[in-house]
Amino acid sequence: MDVTQSPTREKYPLSTRKILKKTLGYSVMWVIALSFVMVPVSIFLSEASVSWIVPILISITVVALAVFLTYLYELWYFKVYFYDLTPDFIVIRKGPITPREITIPYERVQDVYVDQDILDRFFGLYDVHLSSATISSGMAAHIDGVVKEHADGLKGELLQTVSAKIAKTRGIAPTSAPTPTPIAGV
Amino acid sequence: MTNQKALDYITSGQAKGISPVMIRSSLIQAGWQPGDVDAAFTQIANFQASNQTPVINSATPSSISESDISESDYPITTLWIFKYPIIMVTVSLVAIIFGIWFPYFVIAIPYFLIANPLIRKNFHFALEKEYFAVKQGVLSKKQRNLPYGVIQNVLVKQDIFDRLFGIAALTVENASEAGGSGISKWFSKSQNQNSSADFIGSQGNKVSIPGLKKTDAEALKNAILVKMKENPLGDTQSGL
């Protein structure tokens, strides 16, 4: 799969297991949602003296279709997922249909953390979150679905760049100031 | 009476973008007399001023044209006026197809058709030298000056409508707590969290410019990013 859009994604690629994880997560939701529809339909059909196999077949078909479409969507999502650590800014863009791109200056990063939800633990995936002081950055600025090695790499690189940038804007002197040589008459 | 070592230190510090206050304090900490340090700064400033006169002259026209970036360069498209009317008519038509007569949206359309052109006409933004300036308001006016240094993030968003018609919304956020959102603060809690592209201009901690052409949104974003890079804030807000 050719998805190397940025140097950062090439260096710390998303795991393809992310597609499976997201598909599984949404499939569970689909099964729950569809069961609300299919259980009454099945009862209705069984009262209309149709063989019991018909509602089961319908349910399986509908769920299979939903899962397949979810998989295609997640594949697409995976392909257009863009993140790049440029020299001055962090750029994250996601969403194939309604794209959302966030650009954060390193100086404004408040927090870098790595977490896993329960499905992430099954699949061995990690989410790298970084946020500025705004609500929308908390929602938009994360890179999820990388393996441990790359999560640590991303985290390390982010923290390193952030502290380097801050040291620069804070004006911490790179070398110690020269001591004055005694000048006659002072 | 200044020493060449101090002069070298100051020039190298300035080249690295360190603030003069920091250079001065670190020199004084190292044992230099404050008067000598100030004299060194004056000397360097004089030297640079005499040296850079042609550079400043050539840079002046470009800086003026940069501060000219405003809504006339990246206008809000006329399509933005019709965005919500179009969505409402579409939703109503789809509802009618499904046999639901749902006229409530349509009632709001005249409001949009009258209000939106006025809002658009009264909305101005400019990339000024130090501030991202926004002026807005039909009846009640609002002006906002956002220093480039405190911008927390820049968002470019497209919803489905935007995607279909090739427009985008640009949002610039700082960390202020609902700066001047007034009464809408109480009504738009969920909207704020959703950070939808519905509103225009400054609200809460953001300034949003919807209905830009996609290419214009990208260009304006890049112009703002350049400004942010040129105007770093000495004091960092990051906790890391």
Side-chain angles (χ1 to χ4, degrees), chain A residues 3-184:
Chain A
V3 283
T4 51
Q5 318 129 312
S6 74
T8 309
R9 187 159 177 190
E10 202 170 343
K11 199 170 165 193
Y12 306 111
L14 284 184
S15 169
T16 46
R17 276 176 292 182
K18 176 189 161 75
I19 307 170
L20 294 178
K21 179 230 156 180
K22 292 265 243 179
T23 310
L24 182 66
Y26 282 119
S27 299
V28 171
M29 281 166 59
W30 274 118
V31 168
I32 293 168
L34 287 172
S35 65
F36 279 105
V37 181
M38 288 315 292
V39 168
V41 168
S42 308
I43 292 167
F44 174 77
L45 284 176
S46 63
E47 278 176 357
S49 69
V50 185
S51 165
W52 58 270
I53 204 108
V54 176
I56 290 176
L57 279 178
I58 293 173
S59 305
I60 289 172
T61 318
V62 170
V63 167
L65 192 69
V67 169
F68 180 66
L69 289 177
T70 311
Y71 177 77
L72 286 185
Y73 177 79
E74 290 304 331
L75 197 67
W76 189 15
Y77 193 93
F78 180 85
K79 279 191 176 176
V80 300
Y81 204 106
F82 175 90
Y83 50 93
D84 196 6
L85 307 183
T86 64
D88 300 294
F89 303 102
I90 302 148
V91 185
I92 297 176
R93 183 170 59 237
K94 52 183 98 174
I97 297 169
T98 56
R100 210 180 141 80
E101 181 189 277
I102 190 164
T103 310
I104 304 180
Y106 287 103
E107 289 90 339
R108 293 286 165 273
V109 171
Q110 301 285 318
D111 197 359
V112 178
Y113 63 97
V114 176
D115 74 357
Q116 290 184 293
D117 62 20
I118 187 148
L119 279 173
D120 281 329
R121 297 200 60 188
F122 282 129
F123 285 95
L125 295 172
Y126 293 79
D127 302 347
V128 181
H129 294 253
L130 53 119
S131 63
S132 72
T134 60
I135 297 167
S136 47
S137 74
M139 295 192 303
H142 47 89
I143 300 164
D144 39 354
V146 289
V147 295
K148 179 145 184 45
E149 180 199 345
H150 295 137
D152 289 344
L154 270 172
K155 189 185 75 179
E157 194 168 319
L158 276 167
L159 289 174
Q160 206 185 338
T161 322
V162 168
S163 50
K165 287 269 174 187
I166 291 170
K168 196 172 167 184
T169 45
R170 270 187 190 150
I172 293 167
T175 52
S176 58
T179 47
T181 44
I183 300 163

Side-chain angles (χ1 to χ4, degrees), chain A residues 88 96-101 103 105 107-110 132-134 136-137 139 166 168-169 173-174 178 180-181, chain B residues 3 9 16 18 22 30-32 149 152-158 163 173 193 195 221 229 234 236-238 240:
Chain A
D88 300 294
I97 297 169
T98 56
R100 210 180 141 80
E101 181 189 277
T103 310
E107 289 90 339
R108 293 286 165 273
V109 171
Q110 301 285 318
S132 72
T134 60
S136 47
S137 74
M139 295 192 303
I166 291 170
K168 196 172 167 184
T169 45
T181 44
Chain B
N3 191 297
Y9 180 74
K16 283 171 181 144
I18 297 166
M22 290 303 302
W32 293 84
Q152 293 281 338
N153 50 47
V154 181
L155 282 159
V156 178
K157 288 176 291 199
Q158 289 182 291
R163 195 76 198 277
E173 288 183 75
Q193 289 185 359
S195 71
K221 180 197 80 179
K229 207 177 151 186
T236 175
Q237 290 167 0
S238 171
L240 294 171

